[in-house]
Amino acid sequence: MSEATQTEKKQAQKERKAYRAKKRKLFFKTLFSRKIVLVSAIVVLLIILIAIFADFLMPYNPNQISIPERNQGMSAAHWRGTDEYGRDLFSRVIAGSRVSLIVGLLAVIIACVIGTTLGMIAGYFGGVVDDIINRTSEAVRVIPQIVFAIALCAVFGGGILNLAIVLGISNTTVYIRMMRSQVLSIKERDYIMAGKLQGNSNFRLMFHHILPNSISPIIVTMTQQVGNTI
């Protein structure tokens, strides 16, 4: 490769990086220009920080039982009072925030990864593959979610990680259906056909062209699912 070609390649890479940086800057500027988004982001960040530093913020052991102090009201010693076992409610809320975030986020990530991948495969390849994934998804969807979750818990057992896996698997159908519909509307567009003519593999077309162009509704669904899962 000649020096001129290398120089042109480096220059093109710099221009792409500058363009991406400009797009990111514009995205965040537009996003946080709305006060409600800024306030919501601050609240979410505070909750995440509380969950991370829960061990340092809890004034008491959240599971410590103290019968003489049970059912107390709010006071300087117990900011939110105590429960029927004398456990400090403020400490339990802080400890619970960590469990809720871990389970909620992990379950949504599991559901999104599995559901998005299966939905993309079903929509892209169609035919028998689409029928198998669709019929399986519909069979899972007709089962009440709580019953399906209980059945999965019997298989996987208890624990935070297993709970997140169970909730993630039980929510995959939402992402399968959504991603499949996105792929069906995108895969016939000109730039996908051009990619096929250039010899791009199916894997590259799905994950480098189709997925980035259908990620917006997936992100919105993920944010909604975190609250529902918790």
Side-chain angles (χ1 to χ4, degrees):
M1 186 180 294
S2 64
E3 292 184 4
T5 305
Q6 289 180 347
T7 304
E8 291 176 359
K9 188 175 181 180
K10 289 180 180 179
Q11 183 63 31
Q13 289 177 346
K14 288 181 181 179
E15 290 177 357
R16 283 197 296 269
K17 288 181 179 178
Y19 177 70
R20 290 170 184 168
K22 184 178 179 181
K23 284 186 68 176
R24 283 195 297 268
K25 185 177 179 180
L26 180 62
F27 169 77
F28 286 111
K29 183 179 179 180
T30 305
L31 178 65
F32 292 110
S33 62
R34 299 179 61 188
K35 291 182 179 179
I36 187 171
V37 175
L38 183 61
V39 172
S40 301
I42 292 172
V43 171
V44 171
L45 180 61
L46 285 174
I47 294 173
I48 293 173
L49 291 175
I50 289 172
I52 292 172
F53 298 104
D55 293 334
F56 302 99
L57 297 175
M58 291 184 294
Y60 300 94
N61 184 336
N63 298 316
Q64 183 178 352
I65 296 175
S66 178
I67 300 301
E69 296 181 308
R70 61 183 181 177
N71 294 323
Q72 288 188 1
M74 293 184 292
S75 63
H78 300 284
W79 292 0
R80 293 198 61 186
T82 59
D83 63 8
E84 63 270 23
Y85 298 107
R87 297 173 296 189
D88 183 66
L89 289 177
F90 180 70
S91 299
R92 291 181 65 77
V93 169
I94 293 176
S97 66
R98 175 181 291 177
V99 177
S100 297
L101 283 177
I102 290 174
V103 173
L105 290 173
L106 189 56
V108 167
I109 291 171
I110 292 171
C112 180
V113 171
I114 296 175
T116 300
T117 303
L118 291 176
M120 191 159 45
I121 292 171
Y124 186 84
F125 291 104
V128 177
V129 175
D130 186 20
D131 289 338
I132 292 173
I133 294 176
N134 257 333
R135 299 295 84 79
T136 305
S137 174
E138 290 172 1
V140 171
R141 194 161 62 244
V142 298
I143 303 173
Q145 189 174 14
I146 186 65
V147 176
F148 187 57
I150 291 172
L152 290 175
C153 280
V155 175
F156 289 100
I160 294 177
L161 179 60
N162 289 339
L163 178 61
I165 293 172
V166 165
L167 292 172
I169 293 174
S170 62
N171 283 316
T172 54
T173 57
V174 176
Y175 296 94
I176 292 174
R177 188 169 64 253
M178 180 179 298
M179 192 64 195
R180 178 180 177 273
S181 63
Q182 289 289 314
V183 173
L184 289 175
S185 64
I186 291 175
K187 71 175 186 178
E188 300 300 334
R189 293 185 181 178
D190 292 341
Y191 63 89
I192 301 296
M193 300 303 295
K196 290 181 179 179
L197 293 174
Q198 289 176 354
N200 288 302
S201 65
N202 292 327
F203 179 87
R204 181 173 181 81
L205 288 172
M206 286 191 293
F207 288 94
H208 287 264
H209 297 284
I210 294 177
L211 182 60
N213 286 288
S214 56
I215 200 68
S216 297
I218 299 297
I219 293 175
V220 174
T221 303
M222 288 180 69
T223 58
Q224 294 174 342
Q225 286 289 317
V226 170
N228 294 334
T229 302
I230 291 175

